[in-house]
Each structure stands twice: as structure tokens, then as C-alpha cells.
Amino acid sequence: MGSRFDIDWKKIGIAVKEFFIALGRGELLTRMRVDKLFPYILYLFLLGCVSIWMSYKAEQTMLKVQQNNRTIRTLKIYNAQKTYEIVGLDRIATVEKMLEESGSEVKAPEKPADVIK
């Protein structure tokens, strides 16, 4: 029972020391044989970059949509105001009043026009 749980602390200490030495020299990844996985790591890096770029572009598009919606709301209000003004100018009484204010002698016809056959 005692031999099953015997721990060689000296080997663990050497392993930890070697780990920190390799980490300090920059050889840790080479010792772990990560160099064989380099193409996969590069592929994952590129996928991450593409994902970030697409998220950025989607956010920019949403920002433009919000700005355009604000512009559309403003233009709808402007359109309603102009439509109201134009409809108001279409009345004969309004046109006569504007002509009188400008000092024009033109007046609305008093009798209908004669039709020539």
C-alpha cells in the first residue's frame, strides 16, 4: 500500500526546474512538440482574425442603419411639413391672398371661361 503512493519529490523538482528553464529560454513549445501543430495553430489564428473582422463590419453596418433610420425619420417629418404647405397653397383663396399681398392685379376669374367650338 505504501509503494503505490510513493512520490519522488526529487524528480518533480527537477521537472519543475526544467520547465522554468525551458520557459525562460523560449524552448518550451519546442520541447512540447508544438511545432508539428503549427499549421493548425496558424489556421485557427486566421479564422479568429476573419471572425473579428466580420464582427467589426457587421457592427459598422448596424451603425449606418441606425444613422439612416434617424435621417429617414427627420426627412419624413420634413416631407409632411412641405406637403401640408403645398396643399395649403393649392386653395384659390390662398392664391388670391398671396397675389393681393404681393400687389399684383391678377385676380381669379369671375365667370367661367367660354368654350369656342
Side-chain angles (χ1 to χ4, degrees):
M1 186 168 169
S3 65
R4 188 170 168 205
F5 294 107
D6 286 339
I7 298 173
D8 190 2
W9 292 103
K10 189 173 184 178
K11 286 184 181 179
I12 292 175
I14 291 171
V16 169
K17 183 179 104 177
E18 288 294 322
F19 171 78
F20 284 113
I21 290 172
L23 185 64
R25 289 184 183 167
E27 301 171 350
L28 182 64
L29 294 178
T30 306
R31 284 191 183 182
M32 294 173 66
R33 299 298 299 162
V34 176
D35 54 340
K36 288 196 275 185
L37 301 175
F38 183 72
Y40 301 108
I41 294 170
L42 184 62
Y43 179 69
L44 288 175
F45 175 75
L46 290 175
L47 283 178
C49 289
V50 168
S51 175
I52 292 170
W53 180 75
M54 289 177 69
S55 296
Y56 174 75
K57 286 299 185 181
E59 186 68 30
Q60 292 297 318
T61 303
M62 291 305 295
L63 182 65
K64 284 183 183 177
V65 167
Q66 289 175 352
Q67 290 173 345
N68 288 342
N69 282 338
R70 274 185 256 143
T71 304
I72 287 173
R73 250 184 269 125
T74 305
L75 290 176
K76 280 183 179 179
I77 293 169
Y78 180 75
N79 182 29
Q81 289 173 343
K82 288 298 176 184
T83 303
Y84 176 76
E85 290 175 12
I86 290 172
V87 168
L89 293 176
D90 196 30
R91 296 184 188 128
I92 293 177
T94 307
V95 173
E96 286 178 346
K97 182 179 173 186
M98 288 174 61
L99 287 172
E100 286 176 8
E101 288 175 358
S102 65
S104 176
E105 295 180 9
V106 178
K107 298 201 188 294
E110 295 175 5
K111 64 174 189 162
D114 295 330
V115 178
I116 301 174
K117 293 186 180 182

